[in-house]
Amino acid sequence: MKFITLAVVLMMLSSVFAGQLLTRGEDLKKYLQGAKDGTFIVLFYDREAPQLRTEDARNQIRTKILKDHPSFNYYEVDIQEAEYSNIVDDMVKLDREEVRHSPTILVTSEGRGYWAHGDTAVDDIVYHLPKYSIDMIRESREKV
């Protein structure tokens, strides 16, 4: 019984740290179009892709982005989920074949965004954050 309780608690904690799961693809679509203020980091992955690459991307996002910017909105999207098809195929126009091998990461604010794919995707996103993160743009304006 203790083992089952521990397993449930661990699963709940891992889902908290894995990112926010949306209940509807339309919510995320509106957010990405600028309906919700702030910077959005979205990890697009395929649940059948190599898990080590997906986990590595998650860990890099946590340590290289979210650690310094905890107010950023972070979401994960499994490209196999039908309710996200319009985002994956029409809005972001991701190459599903690429995502089957490695996650793609998007940074967006106010309807503008930049996405990167591959082993250096997180570093590429970090490099482009000052241009695509409305939070960082506002911070730089306040310093002037």
Side-chain angles (χ1 to χ4, degrees):
M1 184 66 157
K2 289 180 183 178
F3 178 73
I4 293 172
T5 304
L6 178 61
V8 170
V9 169
L10 288 175
M11 286 188 327
M12 288 172 40
L13 287 174
S14 68
S15 68
V16 168
F17 291 108
Q20 299 174 18
L21 297 177
L22 298 173
T23 56
R24 296 178 45 213
E26 286 301 312
D27 292 339
L28 181 58
K29 183 178 179 182
K30 290 175 188 173
Y31 297 165
L32 297 180
Q33 290 172 332
K36 184 175 178 183
D37 190 45
T39 300
F40 294 83
I41 305 293
V42 183
L43 174 71
F44 292 94
Y45 71 98
D46 185 323
R47 64 178 163 250
E48 294 178 4
Q51 291 301 306
L52 289 176
R53 289 184 181 167
T54 303
E55 258 323 294
D56 184 49
R58 280 185 184 120
N59 291 334
Q60 284 189 51
I61 289 169
R62 285 186 199 117
T63 59
K64 294 181 179 182
I65 300 174
L66 299 176
K67 179 180 171 191
D68 295 330
H69 306 283
S71 64
F72 284 7
N73 299 283
Y74 174 59
Y75 296 99
E76 294 187 1
V77 172
D78 180 349
I79 65 164
Q80 291 191 29
E81 293 293 327
E83 66 183 295
Y84 298 109
S85 291
N86 64 347
I87 295 170
V88 172
D89 298 326
D90 302 328
M91 188 176 184
V92 183
K93 299 183 193 259
L94 291 180
D95 182 336
R96 287 179 178 267
E97 191 60 35
E98 282 186 352
V99 180
R100 284 188 181 99
H101 299 285
S102 181
T104 295
I105 303 161
L106 170 72
V107 56
T108 183
S109 298
E110 298 185 325
R112 295 179 50 241
Y114 178 84
W115 60 264
H117 177 82
D119 293 337
T120 60
V122 175
D123 292 328
D124 196 12
I125 293 292
V126 168
Y127 177 80
H128 286 90
L129 276 176
K131 184 175 179 180
Y132 291 98
S133 166
I134 191 63
D135 299 298
M136 292 180 76
I137 292 169
R138 288 175 183 152
E139 286 175 15
S140 67
R141 288 178 186 160
E142 291 173 3
K143 290 180 183 177
V144 176

